[in-house]
């Protein structure tokens, strides 16, 4: 049996398989089951500032339409955003405390904020509640034609710096690939001294129904093909950076897991495959990793991590190939 | 056992178009309309309420509004055009027959006017003082809607008629139907409960009001200060109810002293829960538990209910020289103006939006400004500091600016980065709202409540998920106004009456 | 209006009053308290219900005179009435058979501890009690405590009765020699703080019954707020008992002193009128 122990964000994990932020990680019971099923760590379901604001808006709408809820002149309604925020935050902090009481595996709190002032206060409270680390879920879709790329990038860096200056627990950030120059962005993020970087955040994509012209949801789950992009960038940036890297999106089976480790990841985050295949998938994936390591003669992950990264692979140029050209198609 | 027919009362409670029309055609109304041309009526300025001088009144607890003289009242009543379609009535949460009571004043029949008020409103002296008329009846007045002028001073006139009656000693006690012996329990003696009591007793029920505190009146006594609503006035209205036969039991907490089930066993057939929104909300910012930082409930209860400012009374209160009140509603206004009267040099309002957006009654804001209250708008506290004894001595405040509108159309306050500064304070009152008192819902787990702890009820009958339980006021609304609570009470009374008729029929 | 039917002077400063309150007597369980207001101008104060007799329709309060209101109460006599008594308030103590329960009562805290100790004994627990006070005459209800405890250790600061030392010494003696499953502590805040620190060392789950400043007692004003496990709780509706190891005692002690100076002044003025 190989030794799967891994260090991620300075935390000791029994294996590199982390359950990512999702509905799987939103309750004490669920997380307990995931630990029992062998997960190396969990990232709690993200606390969304936007969701809080949406809840506030919904409350306000309800109140104005139905004066049975709040009268328009009530003080409570006037400060409803504070009340809802406090309630949601309290519940999340309760969750952190309860989970920490129940499980031994590392628990990473996750927060998604859209206003920069809130980040720090949330982060502080999670640290106090006992979270082992923090994952900043900064997701900005560059759809505003008036906001330049530098401005967006500075927002990320500003948030990261502010949070890091306030908390002592390890901090990581999960990003999307939507940057003009991803390599430069990743470098800037790593230079802040952040403990970890998660590639990549997977955006929800809206869809619509062509028959009744209404909005519908789509692509709830990832597909393995989406892991390719993660792998590419993991391979490119992992040799360059000191911070820990985690891979996320499209990692469904042990082969996907092994590939990310080979590309240079310290850990992987999985969600969709657990939804689809159940918690047993954890053991299947770890079992596959074990078996492969035995076959190849590895007994520690350190021995092969990054072996196929751009720095170590025999054909580094392959990482930069973006066109489907006949010349390359013969090289597999 | 004979049950009264609700139709007769119905007519008074739900003023239908036909009834209004026929009343308007009565000769006395016609005569009044003919006595003065519409042009003359509309050419007048709205009456100005007589008020105590701000710098005198900010040191005493007597009512700020002194009241209208008879002449002023009649002159103002003459401004009312007695519209064919009185839009003011629909602006009133209890549908008071406004033109009728105003025309009685014009006629000089002040006691009759008070009677009209009492047909739909058990506490007219209260409502005339505390209703936000500017967004209710007066906002719907023809003057505002069509003429773009100041509305008829409906609130001041209501107060005038109620006060006149009270001072005359000729207080009319509405007719009470023959007793039917059916026991109903009202939990909470605030405006909602009193409104239910007022109606149920008229219909002949055996009414008992259970109150947790040692005084009757709920927020009317502990929340609203003497200088806005003297407790003495509340007592007169309550005495009226006693005269009609309502029983009051103080120091009785339903859910603790006895449960609803116990009361059922004692023969109570229906219940109204009007236990209010008593739970104070704090901001949960660092330092909020230091000494001399109060919830508005605590501050006002000490002063209004326990008379803490009076050295003859044992309950203490601390109110210092630099008082900051956080919030923008009526409770915040009440708190900050109380602090002025208790000797503050600086009485400050810290509110995160602009003054125009404050939910407090316009009159309260105006009175507060006159009394030298400092309005620090677009500010919000972020932390408190204290001395070595734990007494608050400093408040850190952050400036706000107005950002994108939320779904109600109001612009969201957004903190301005790096704008924090400190203010010296020795007392802080947090008035950012309240949440429903959890006692009753906790004692009846089968009762459907919202996430907020408010009781879910049917909008029309105010019946809750347990059939013999009705509810209204803040326990349903989460923090509203006296008049809305009363409106709920009246609806609930109707709902309870219907329910009990069925219950008796099916026995 | 609640009539005093019996009065007993337990010592110079402590009085036991039996009061008519039939409805409260019916509902009362160990751990509950009432809010009392003597007369129209009086203040509302919380007092733990030491005992209740549902058949007689009475409740028993034990009051130590430490200020104006408690002094006035102690001066009242059989036949006098209290203007307002409301309850039962707070959550009752959760009674179960834990095995061995350590009850630690300080000063007038012994009174509310008694019904709890009785209830635990009735549920089958081995009850070990430590009673502590500054001196002999402040130890109250000793006989009653002995009747419902398997062992009683008495500690006085000045050694005038029992052993000399603090409550924590007595507790330590018990904790050192046998396994305790649950501890309950009631008394002055500072005493409960140290009692709690003691049991924490031995990993014994501990309940503290708190007595803070209160005005309405029904959860309406927040005067009684404390911090438990990082969250704000109201002693009157969430308590009065809490997990002692999670209570921020320092904050509670700080808040308790809010009216100290004024109360002391008022009490001194009042005592002058009484003596004259």
């Amino acid at each position: 049996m190989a030794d799967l122990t891994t260090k991620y964000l300075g935390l000791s994990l029994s294996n590199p398989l982390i359950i990512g932020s999702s509905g799987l990680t939103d309750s004490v019971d669920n997380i307990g089951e995931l630990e029992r099923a062998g997960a190396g760590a969990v990232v709690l379901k993200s606390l969304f500032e936007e969701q809080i604001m949406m809840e506030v808006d919904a409350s306000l709408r309800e109140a104005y339409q139905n004066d049975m809820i709040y009268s328009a002149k009530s003080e409570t309604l006037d400060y409803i955003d504070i009340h809802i925020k406090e309630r949601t935050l309290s519940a999340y902090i309760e969750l952190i405390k309860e989970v920490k009481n129940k499980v031994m595996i590392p628990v990473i709190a996750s927060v998604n904020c859209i206003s920069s002032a809130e980040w720090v206060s949330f982060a502080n409270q999670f640290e106090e509640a006992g979270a082992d680390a923090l994952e900043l879920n900064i997701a900005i879709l560059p759809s505003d034609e008036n906001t330049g790329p530098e401005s967006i990038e500075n927002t990320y860096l500003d948030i990261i710096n502010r949070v890091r200056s306030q908390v002592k627990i390890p901090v990581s950030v999960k990003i999307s690939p939507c940057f003009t120059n991803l390599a430069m962005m990743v470098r800037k993020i790593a230079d802040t001294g952040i403990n970890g970087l998660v590639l990549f955040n997977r955006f929800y994509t809206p869809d619509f129904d062509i028959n009744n012209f209404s909005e519908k949801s789509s692509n709830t789950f990832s597909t393995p093909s989406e892991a390719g992009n993660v792998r590419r960038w993991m391979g490119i940036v992992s040799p360059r950076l000191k911070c820990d890297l985690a891979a996320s999106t499209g990692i469904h089976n042990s082969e996907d897991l092994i590939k990310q480790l080979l590309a240079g990841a310290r850990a992987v985050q999985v969600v969709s495959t657990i939804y689809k295949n159940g918690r047993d998938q954890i053991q299947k994936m770890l079992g596959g990793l074990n078996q492969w390591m035995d076959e190849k003669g590895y007994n520690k992950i350190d021995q092969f991590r990054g072996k196929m990264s751009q720095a170590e692979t025999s054909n580094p140029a392959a990482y930069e190939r973006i066109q489907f050209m006949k010349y390359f198609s013969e090289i597999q | 056992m004979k049950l009264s027919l609700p139709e007769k009362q119905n007519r008074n409670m739900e003023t239908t178009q036909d009834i209004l029309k026929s009343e308007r055609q009565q000769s006395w109304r016609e005569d009044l309309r003919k006595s003065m041309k519409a042009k003359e009526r509309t050419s007048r300025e709205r009456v100005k309420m007589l008020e105590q001088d701000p710098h005198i009144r900010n040191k005493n607890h007597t009512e700020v509004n002194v009241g209208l003289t008879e002449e002023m009242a009649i002159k103002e009543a003459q401004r009312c055009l007695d519209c064919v379609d009185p839009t003011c009535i629909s602006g009133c949460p209890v549908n008071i027959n406004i033109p009728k009571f105003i025309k009685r004043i014009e006629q000089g029949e002040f006691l009759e006017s008070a009677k009209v008020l009492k047909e739909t409103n058990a506490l007219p002296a209260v409502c005339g003082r505390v209703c936000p008329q500017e967004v209710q009846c007066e906002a719907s007045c023809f003057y505002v809607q069509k003429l773009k002028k100041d509305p008829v001073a409906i609130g001041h006139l209501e107060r005038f008629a109620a006060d006149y009656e009270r001072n005359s000693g000729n207080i009319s006690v509405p007719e009470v139907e023959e007793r039917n012996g059916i026991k109903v329990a009202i939990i909470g003696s605030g405006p909602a409960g009193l409104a239910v009591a007022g109606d149920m007793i008229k219909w002949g029920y055996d009414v008992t009001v259970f109150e947790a505190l040692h005084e009757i009146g709920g927020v009317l006594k502990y929340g609203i200060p003497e200088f806005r609503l003297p407790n003495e006035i509340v007592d007169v209205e309550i005495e009226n109810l006693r005269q009609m036969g309502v029983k009051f039991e103080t120091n009785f907490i339903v859910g603790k002293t006895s449960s609803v089930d116990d009361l059922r066993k004692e023969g109570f057939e229906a219940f109204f829960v009007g236990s209010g929104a008593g739970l104070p909300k704090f901001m949960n910012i660092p330092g909020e538990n230091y000494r001399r930082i109060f919830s508005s409930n605590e501050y006002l209860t000490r002063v209004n209910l326990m008379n803490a400012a009076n050295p003859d009374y044992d309950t203490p209160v601390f109110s210092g020289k630099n008082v900051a009140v956080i919030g923008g509603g009526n409770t915040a206004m009440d708190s900050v103006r109380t602090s002025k009267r208790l000797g503050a040099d600086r009485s400050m309002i810290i509110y995160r939006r602009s003054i125009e957006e404050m939910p407090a009654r316009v009159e309260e804001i105006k009175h507060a400004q006159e009394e030298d209250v400092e309005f620090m708008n677009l500010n919000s506290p972020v932390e408190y500091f204290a001395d070595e004894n734990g007494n608050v001595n400093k408040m850190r405040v952050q400036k706000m600016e107005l950002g994108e509108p939320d779904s109600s159309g109001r612009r969201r306050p957004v903190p301005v980065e790096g704008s924090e500064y400190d203010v010296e304070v020795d007392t802080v009152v947090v008035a950012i709202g309240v949440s429903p008192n959890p006692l009753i819902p906790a004692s009846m787990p089968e009762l459907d409540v919202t996430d907020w702890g408010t009781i879910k009820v049917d909008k029309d009958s105010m019946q809750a998920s347990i059939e013999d339980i009705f509810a209204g006021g803040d326990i349903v609304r989460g923090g509203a106004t006296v008049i809305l609570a009363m409106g709920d009470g009246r609806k609930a009374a109707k709902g309870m009456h219907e329910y009990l008729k069925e219950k008796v029929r099916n026995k | 209006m609640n009539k005093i039917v019996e009065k007993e002077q337990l010592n110079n400063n402590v009085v036991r009053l039996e009061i008519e309150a039939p409805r409260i007597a019916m509902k009362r369980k160990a751990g509950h308290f009432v809010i009392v207001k003597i007369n129209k101008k009086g203040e509302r104060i919380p007092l733990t219900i030491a005992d209740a007799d549902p058949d007689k329709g009475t409740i028993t309060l034990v009051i130590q005179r430490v200020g104006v209101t408690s002094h006035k109460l102690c001066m009242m006599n059989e036949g006098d009435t209290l203007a307002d008594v409301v309850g039962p308030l707070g959550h009752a103590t959760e009674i179960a058979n834990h095995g061995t329960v350590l009850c630690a009562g300080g000063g007038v805290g012994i009174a509310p501890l008694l019904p709890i100790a009785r209830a635990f004994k009735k549920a089958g627990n081995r009850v070990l009690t430590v009673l502590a006070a500054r001196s002999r005459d402040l130890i109250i209800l000793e006989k009653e405590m002995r009747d419902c405890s398997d062992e009683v250790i008495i500690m006085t600061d000045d050694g005038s009765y029992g052993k000399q030392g603090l409550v924590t010494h007595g507790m330590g003696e018990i904790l050192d020699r046998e396994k305790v499953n649950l501890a309950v502590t009631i008394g002055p805040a500072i005493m409960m703080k140290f009692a709690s620190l003691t049991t924490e060392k031995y990993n014994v789950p501990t309940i503290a019954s708190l007595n803070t400043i209160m005005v309405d007692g029904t959860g309406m004003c927040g005067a009684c707020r404390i911090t438990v496990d990082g969250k704000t709780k109201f002693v009157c509706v969430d308590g009065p008992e809490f997990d002692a190891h999670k209570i921020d005692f320092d904050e509670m002690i700080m808040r308790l002193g809010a009216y100290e100076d004024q109360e002391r002044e008022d009490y001194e003025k009042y005592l002058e009128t009484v003596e004259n």
Side-chain angles (χ1 to χ4, degrees):
Chain A
M1 275 295 267
D3 172 5
L4 302 184
T5 59
T6 301
K7 260 194 134 57
Y8 175 62
L9 304 182
L11 306 166
S12 297
L13 278 59
S14 56
N15 64 64
L17 196 73
I18 302 176
I19 310 301
S21 167
S22 62
L24 293 167
T25 57
D26 69 349
S27 75
V28 188
D29 291 335
N30 285 345
I31 294 171
E33 295 291 328
L34 289 169
E35 178 185 49
R36 245 188 303 279
V42 292
V43 181
L44 294 180
K45 183 160 170 62
S46 255
L47 179 64
F48 280 84
E49 188 194 352
E50 191 181 358
Q51 189 155 16
I52 294 174
M53 282 168 70
M54 275 166 43
E55 208 187 316
V56 169
D57 275 351
S59 277
L60 288 171
R61 249 193 308 269
E62 247 192 293
Y64 282 94
Q65 281 162 11
N66 174 9
D67 72 356
M68 289 296 281
I69 313 288
Y70 288 103
S71 85
K73 288 278 171 175
S74 101
E75 271 137 346
T76 319
L77 187 63
D78 193 23
Y79 278 85
I80 196 110
D81 53 333
I82 291 200
H83 303 320
I84 290 182
K85 186 177 96 178
E86 197 249 307
R87 200 175 59 150
T88 317
L89 198 55
S90 291
Y92 198 76
I93 287 170
E94 239 350 84
L95 177 65
I96 296 175
K97 285 187 182 161
E98 281 174 29
V99 173
K100 280 304 292 174
N101 247 341
K102 184 161 177 149
V103 305
M104 305 285 294
I105 57 176
V107 175
I108 303 171
S110 172
V111 67
N112 174 307
C113 282
I114 46 187
S115 80
S116 53
E118 300 294 343
W119 288 97
V120 183
S121 81
F122 283 11
N124 265 329
Q125 297 189 56
F126 297 163
E127 179 176 41
E128 262 176 67
D132 295 300
L134 196 53
E135 184 175 283
L136 303 175
N137 179 350
I138 312 180
I140 302 174
L141 184 72
S143 60
D144 177 4
E145 58 190 30
N146 294 316
T147 309
E150 216 177 312
S151 158
I152 294 178
E153 290 174 12
N154 285 337
T155 302
Y156 277 75
L157 299 171
D158 179 50
I159 291 170
I160 292 170
N161 285 324
R162 235 119 60 75
V163 171
R164 287 197 65 247
S165 70
Q166 291 292 326
V167 300
K168 298 192 196 63
I169 52 175
V171 178
S172 60
V173 62
K174 184 157 85 170
I175 61 171
S176 79
C178 290
F179 292 98
T180 312
N181 184 332
L182 181 57
M184 183 187 252
M185 187 64 211
V186 162
R187 159 59 53 204
K188 284 186 182 166
I189 290 177
D191 283 349
T192 63
I194 201 168
N195 306 91
L197 182 56
V198 182
L199 313 171
F200 289 115
N201 197 351
R202 183 173 177 274
F203 285 169
Y204 164 83
T205 310
D207 196 358
F208 46 80
D209 186 315
I210 61 171
N211 291 313
N212 58 30
F213 302 106
S214 64
E215 196 195 313
K216 69 176 185 185
S217 71
S218 81
N219 83 328
T220 323
F221 295 135
S222 66
T223 55
S225 57
E226 294 173 67
N229 199 36
V230 177
R231 209 170 52 233
R232 179 218 292 281
W233 288 101
M234 188 65 68
I236 293 176
V237 306
S238 69
R240 302 176 186 177
L241 309 177
K242 284 217 194 77
C243 62
D244 291 348
L245 292 164
S248 179
T249 306
I251 299 146
H252 285 210
N253 57 34
S254 54
E255 189 173 328
D256 300 329
L257 162 58
I258 294 164
K259 285 182 178 171
Q260 295 295 346
L261 296 174
L262 285 169
R266 281 218 150 248
V268 303
Q269 293 187 5
V270 300
V271 172
S272 298
T273 191
I274 309 294
Y275 270 120
K276 282 188 171 155
N277 303 310
R279 284 184 283 259
D280 291 345
Q281 188 69 359
I282 297 174
Q283 285 306 325
K284 289 210 186 85
M285 289 173 74
L286 294 175
L289 172 61
N290 243 316
Q291 194 180 2
W292 179 85
M293 282 173 75
D294 284 344
E295 279 169 25
K296 302 297 172 193
Y298 296 122
N299 43 28
K300 283 177 109 76
I301 298 182
D302 285 344
Q303 292 166 334
F304 65 88
R305 180 183 300 111
K307 195 171 158 63
M308 293 299 286
S309 74
Q310 194 175 41
E312 298 187 36
T313 186
S314 53
N315 185 8
Y319 269 107
E320 313 240 354
R321 179 181 143 195
I322 52 177
Q323 304 288 6
F324 295 96
M325 295 201 311
K326 183 174 171 221
Y327 178 64
F328 286 120
S329 68
E330 274 132 44
I331 304 175
Q332 281 305 325
Chain B
M1 177 163 40
K2 186 178 157 210
L3 270 176
S4 70
L5 295 168
E7 282 73 31
K8 180 164 138 210
Q9 298 301 326
N10 240 354
R11 220 168 14 108
N12 295 331
M13 228 171 56
E14 269 185 66
T15 337
T16 64
Q17 294 299 341
D18 295 328
I19 295 169
L20 287 177
K21 200 163 152 210
S22 71
E23 281 179 343
R24 191 175 176 274
Q25 284 163 355
Q26 287 171 351
S27 53
W28 70 276
R29 296 274 282 267
E30 290 201 359
D31 291 344
L32 278 175
R33 281 196 300 279
K34 289 196 192 113
S35 71
M36 190 182 293
K37 286 205 169 2
K39 217 168 174 178
E40 192 188 333
R41 293 182 193 270
T42 58
S43 66
R44 293 216 186 126
E45 290 291 310
R46 176 186 153 115
V47 72
K48 284 213 172 6
M49 167 61 81
L50 295 172
E51 296 171 354
Q52 277 193 73
D53 176 276
H55 293 102
I56 294 177
R57 73 185 193 231
N58 68 3
K59 297 174 183 56
N60 69 37
H61 296 268
T62 11
E63 271 196 272
V64 172
N65 285 346
V66 173
L68 302 177
T69 62
E70 288 179 33
E71 196 189 326
M72 290 164 88
I74 293 177
K75 274 198 135 104
E76 183 63 18
Q78 287 168 341
R79 284 180 76 225
C80 168
L81 297 168
D82 202 355
C83 302
V84 175
D85 176 22
T87 45
C88 50
I89 300 181
S90 54
C92 172
V94 297
N95 298 124
I96 291 178
N97 193 337
I98 297 173
K100 190 169 167 192
F101 98 79
I102 292 183
K103 288 302 136 188
R104 282 295 185 201
I105 293 179
E106 184 178 346
Q107 203 186 24
E109 293 287 344
F110 306 139
L111 292 179
E112 281 302 311
S113 178
K115 277 212 195 108
V116 174
L117 287 172
K118 285 202 170 146
E119 282 167 10
T120 42
N121 183 348
L123 315 172
V126 172
C127 292
R129 286 167 164 78
V130 306
C131 270
Q133 292 94 3
E134 74 269 16
V135 298
Q136 291 172 174
C137 50
E138 292 181 12
S140 315
C141 175
F142 180 80
Y143 274 79
V144 168
Q145 297 286 318
K146 293 287 187 313
L147 303 179
K148 308 290 178 212
K149 280 179 161 193
D150 284 337
V152 172
I154 302 172
H156 294 332
L157 290 173
E158 183 182 15
R159 182 200 149 137
F160 170 80
D163 286 357
Y164 184 89
E165 192 202 44
R166 190 179 67 254
N167 292 326
S168 75
N170 270 323
I171 300 177
S172 65
V173 178
E175 260 177 60
V176 169
E177 306 272 342
E178 191 184 317
R179 293 298 179 93
N180 57 36
I182 301 176
K183 288 167 74 163
V184 298
I186 295 174
I187 302 167
S189 68
L194 295 178
V196 178
D199 278 350
M200 296 304 272
I201 196 74
K202 274 191 222 163
W203 296 333
Y205 289 96
D206 182 339
V207 180
T208 308
V209 178
F210 296 97
E211 167 56 46
L213 291 174
H214 58 275
E215 292 258 8
I216 313 274
V219 74
L220 301 174
K221 285 266 180 80
Y222 74 74
I224 306 180
E226 288 293 284
F227 58 82
R228 270 221 290 148
L229 178 65
N231 282 354
E232 186 192 53
I233 291 184
V234 180
D235 281 334
V236 170
E237 315 266 79
I238 289 168
E239 185 51 34
N240 222 19
L241 290 170
R242 263 194 241 267
Q243 291 285 327
M244 291 200 279
V246 174
K247 290 176 272 194
F248 291 95
E249 283 220 37
T250 54
N251 299 310
F252 197 118
I253 302 178
V254 176
K256 290 278 186 189
T257 312
S258 289
S259 65
V260 165
D261 231 13
D262 291 334
L263 294 175
R264 279 191 190 110
K265 293 198 186 96
E266 289 178 33
F268 287 91
E269 305 262 12
F271 300 83
F272 175 78
V273 179
S275 48
L279 211 59
K281 299 223 77 99
F282 289 94
M283 289 182 79
N284 282 302
I285 54 178
E288 217 171 21
N289 282 347
Y290 281 129
R291 294 175 6 175
R292 303 175 179 172
I293 299 182
F294 304 104
S295 72
S296 51
N297 272 356
E298 184 183 350
Y299 188 70
L300 293 173
T301 297
R302 283 182 186 269
V303 178
N304 298 333
L305 184 69
M306 309 302 293
N307 285 293
N310 184 334
D312 285 345
Y313 286 73
D314 292 343
T315 305
V317 71
F318 183 85
S319 192
K321 297 289 175 207
N322 290 317
V323 182
V325 175
I326 322 297
N330 290 323
T331 313
M333 290 305 116
D334 286 343
S335 304
V336 79
R337 294 168 69 199
T338 296
S339 77
K340 208 49 168 162
R341 285 157 172 78
L342 294 183
D345 291 329
R346 285 186 84 188
S347 290
M348 301 169 267
I349 283 281
I350 318 288
Y351 181 62
R352 61 205 188 125
R353 289 186 162 102
S354 68
I355 204 166
E356 294 80 30
E357 293 168 288
M358 291 176 79
R361 263 180 110 229
V362 164
E363 190 179 46
E364 307 313 324
I365 297 176
K366 166 174 158 290
H367 283 165
Q369 285 169 313
E370 291 165 355
E371 289 164 17
D372 295 337
V373 167
E374 283 176 57
F375 281 78
M376 292 168 65
N377 291 85
L378 296 169
N379 274 293
S380 195
V382 291
E383 190 170 352
Y384 300 104
F385 301 92
D387 64 19
E388 67 277 1
N389 289 323
N391 294 323
V392 69
N393 61 7
K394 203 167 62 171
M395 168 180 69
R396 182 156 293 163
V397 183
Q398 189 177 40
K399 295 215 170 100
M400 313 292 274
E401 58 190 5
L402 295 176
E404 291 301 305
D406 58 32
S407 63
S408 69
R410 287 170 90 203
R411 297 175 67 194
R412 251 186 264 270
V414 173
V416 175
E417 298 292 316
S419 65
E420 289 91 332
Y421 64 103
D422 293 344
V423 180
E424 216 183 287
V425 292
D426 56 13
T427 312
V428 177
V429 180
V430 181
I432 60 168
V434 284
S435 143
N437 185 303
L439 274 181
I440 298 282
S443 71
M444 287 191 284
E446 331 79 62
L447 197 62
D448 253 353
V449 294
T450 64
D451 284 342
W452 288 104
T454 54
I455 297 180
K456 284 196 194 155
V457 295
D458 175 277
K459 231 164 98 100
D460 296 308
S461 66
M462 308 305 280
Q463 192 176 30
S465 60
I466 299 177
E467 69 165 39
D468 60 354
I469 307 216
F470 294 74
D474 285 356
I475 193 80
V476 166
R477 293 169 178 277
T481 60
V482 163
I483 190 70
L484 284 173
M486 290 181 57
D488 286 352
R490 309 218 61 213
K491 254 196 234 161
K494 223 176 90 169
M496 285 166 87
H497 190 38
E498 289 303 311
Y499 163 73
L500 287 165
K501 276 197 314 180
E502 273 299 305
K503 203 175 180 185
V504 165
R505 216 199 324 263
N506 293 337
K507 265 206 179 143
Chain C
M1 293 301 238
N2 303 75
K3 190 159 73 165
I4 299 174
V5 297
E6 199 178 295
K7 173 180 176 175
E8 185 190 340
Q9 195 85 29
L10 295 182
N11 65 39
N12 247 353
N13 293 311
V14 182
V15 151
R16 191 174 65 86
L17 294 177
E18 196 179 335
I19 300 170
E20 265 176 11
R23 281 196 192 257
I24 302 177
M26 290 279 288
K27 291 284 184 187
R28 176 261 175 192
K29 294 199 173 52
H32 278 144
F33 67 96
V34 288
I35 293 266
V36 170
K37 186 165 168 287
I38 299 179
N39 55 36
K40 184 166 178 324
K41 298 188 176 172
E43 52 170 344
R44 292 169 64 98
I45 63 167
L47 290 167
T48 311
I49 307 174
D51 204 351
D53 189 335
D55 298 320
K56 269 172 88 179
T58 61
I59 59 173
T60 298
L61 307 175
V62 173
I63 303 131
Q64 178 180 23
R65 56 177 196 193
V66 290
V68 173
T69 307
S70 51
H71 195 118
K72 283 183 184 172
L73 267 171
C74 289
M75 303 259 289
M76 292 179 84
N77 295 304
E78 289 171 9
D80 289 343
T81 51
L82 300 171
D84 302 286
V85 177
V86 64
L89 301 172
H91 292 289
T93 313
E94 271 181 49
I95 305 292
N97 189 343
H98 297 276
T100 303
V101 178
L102 170 57
C103 294
V108 76
I110 296 173
L113 188 58
L114 176 57
I116 295 173
R118 277 187 182 143
F120 275 121
K121 186 83 190 104
K122 195 152 166 230
N125 291 284
R126 179 168 150 74
V127 175
L128 306 173
T129 299
V130 179
L131 304 178
R134 280 200 305 279
S135 60
R136 182 193 186 118
D137 55 307
L138 294 171
I139 299 280
I140 54 172
L141 304 172
E142 184 189 339
K143 176 178 177 310
E144 287 89 338
M145 274 311 220
R146 284 196 190 276
D147 285 343
C148 65
S149 310
D150 294 279
E151 183 183 335
V152 174
I153 296 180
I154 297 188
M155 308 292 304
T156 46
D157 288 10
D158 62 3
S160 54
Y161 195 51
K163 304 187 190 176
Q164 188 192 2
L166 303 168
V167 72
T168 45
H169 298 131
M171 292 170 73
E173 197 187 300
I174 293 176
L175 292 164
D176 273 336
R177 67 159 201 244
E178 60 183 286
K179 173 147 175 70
V180 169
N181 305 100
L182 177 75
V184 181
T185 174
I186 311 185
I190 188 95
M191 171 237 158
M192 289 194 287
K193 172 182 169 182
F194 284 102
S196 170
L197 288 171
T198 302
T199 56
E200 205 170 8
K201 282 198 282 248
Y202 293 84
N203 255 319
V204 174
T206 305
I207 300 170
S209 181
L210 307 182
N211 190 344
T212 51
I213 292 176
M214 286 188 194
V215 183
D216 65 290
T218 60
M220 209 188 75
C221 75
C224 63
R225 66 189 188 276
I226 52 165
T227 303
V228 179
D229 199 15
K231 293 206 285 269
T232 299
K233 295 279 176 192
F234 290 177
V235 174
C236 66
V237 291
D238 299 316
E241 291 169 9
F242 295 95
D243 177 347
H245 299 154
K246 300 211 168 99
I247 298 171
D248 183 343
F249 278 104
D250 291 332
E251 183 189 77
M252 179 182 142
I253 292 169
M254 179 256 296
R255 286 184 62 75
L256 268 172
Y259 293 96
E260 223 165 35
D261 293 340
Q262 177 159 13
E263 282 172 348
R264 193 180 15 248
E265 222 180 276
D266 288 345
Y267 193 27
E268 279 163 15
K269 271 202 213 121
Y270 170 74
L271 285 175
E272 281 169 26
T273 68
V274 170
E275 271 145 34
N276 294 346

